[in-house]
Structures are given as C-alpha cells and as structure tokens.
Amino acid sequence: MRCPYCENEDSKVIDSRHTEDGRAIRRRRECEECGRRFTTYEKVEEVILMVIKKDGSRQAFDRSKLLNGIIRACEKRPVSIADMEKIADDIERGLNNMMEKEVESTFIGELVMERLKDLDEVAYVRFASVYRQFTDINTFVAEIEKLLTNKKKS
Ligand SMILES: [Zn+2]
C-alpha cells in the first residue's frame, strides 16, 4: 500500500481491527520510509449481478428464485434438498467468479439444465420445458430423444 505522504510502496500494518458493523477491516499502517501513519480499509465488494430476461428487462440475481425453480422441477423426485441447494450454490459461485455485471437468464437456465441432466432426467425435462418454453410438442420430443440417444451412448 503506497504511502500517501512520500509515495513509498512499503508499509507495515501496526494495527488491524473490524469496524463496528463488522463489514470492513480497518488497518493502521506505518510507512517504512518516512515513518508516517495512515489508515486503510478493506471491504467486501458487493457486486450485484443483473439478470437479463427474455423480454430484455433486468432483475437482480436472486439465489432463492433459482433454488425455487430447481425445487419445482424436482418435485416428487428422489433428489435431496442438499443436492438442489448445492446446484444453486455452485451456480451462484460460478456466476460471481465470472465477474460479469449482467448475464442472460437463458445462460443460467442452461447451467441448471446441465446439472439436472446428470441428477434426474424427469427434473431435467421439466425444467427444460419451462425454461426453453417449448413452443410446440416437436421441440419437446426432440429434446427427449436427444436425452435418450445420449443415454444409449453412455
Ligand atoms: Zn512515507
């Protein structure tokens, strides 16, 4: 951390404590060159990820909404809530790691489908039918046939 007085690059931390609300760490530093002291704050950067919906409108990413969609697809299926939560967590983490500010809702949908495909085929088809909004029975059948072909291969 550069010294604000002499621009020296090296400083040592002489005191470190949480701010009252616990959302930041306040560090007292001392310049190794001129010996003057200054304070730095370390904060978690709160990045809000916006989801672009099919109609072009934006909505803040909501993990619980994502999880609800997964739960709905897995209704009465032998999938544990822990597995569903893990999918939601992994996807949320993956999205955060992308460091994007905006992401298409269809992209998130594809990520969920990727995971459901391995977990439970019925849940996968249910989710896909909502997410891809199969407009006619043919695309729906095509999706199931694709699934069956992949299954035969593996
Ligand atoms: Zn200095």
CSV table of all heavy atoms in Angstrom, one decimal, residues 3 6 31 34, ligand 1:
chain,number,residue,atom,x,y,z
A,3,CYS,N,2.4,4.8,0.4
A,3,CYS,CA,2.3,5.9,1.5
A,3,CYS,C,1.7,7.2,0.8
A,3,CYS,O,2.2,7.6,-0.2
A,3,CYS,CB,3.7,6.1,2.1
A,3,CYS,SG,3.7,7.6,3.1
A,6,CYS,N,4.8,10.1,1.1
A,6,CYS,CA,6.1,10.0,0.3
A,6,CYS,C,6.0,9.1,-0.8
A,6,CYS,O,7.0,8.9,-1.6
A,6,CYS,CB,7.2,9.7,1.2
A,6,CYS,SG,7.2,7.9,1.8
A,31,CYS,N,4.5,3.9,7.3
A,31,CYS,CA,5.4,3.9,6.2
A,31,CYS,C,6.8,3.5,6.6
A,31,CYS,O,7.3,4.0,7.6
A,31,CYS,CB,5.4,5.2,5.5
A,31,CYS,SG,6.6,5.4,4.2
A,34,CYS,N,9.1,7.0,5.5
A,34,CYS,CA,9.1,8.2,6.3
A,34,CYS,C,8.5,8.0,7.7
A,34,CYS,O,8.6,9.0,8.5
A,34,CYS,CB,8.3,9.3,5.5
A,34,CYS,SG,6.5,8.9,5.5
B,1,ZN,ZN,6.0,7.6,3.6
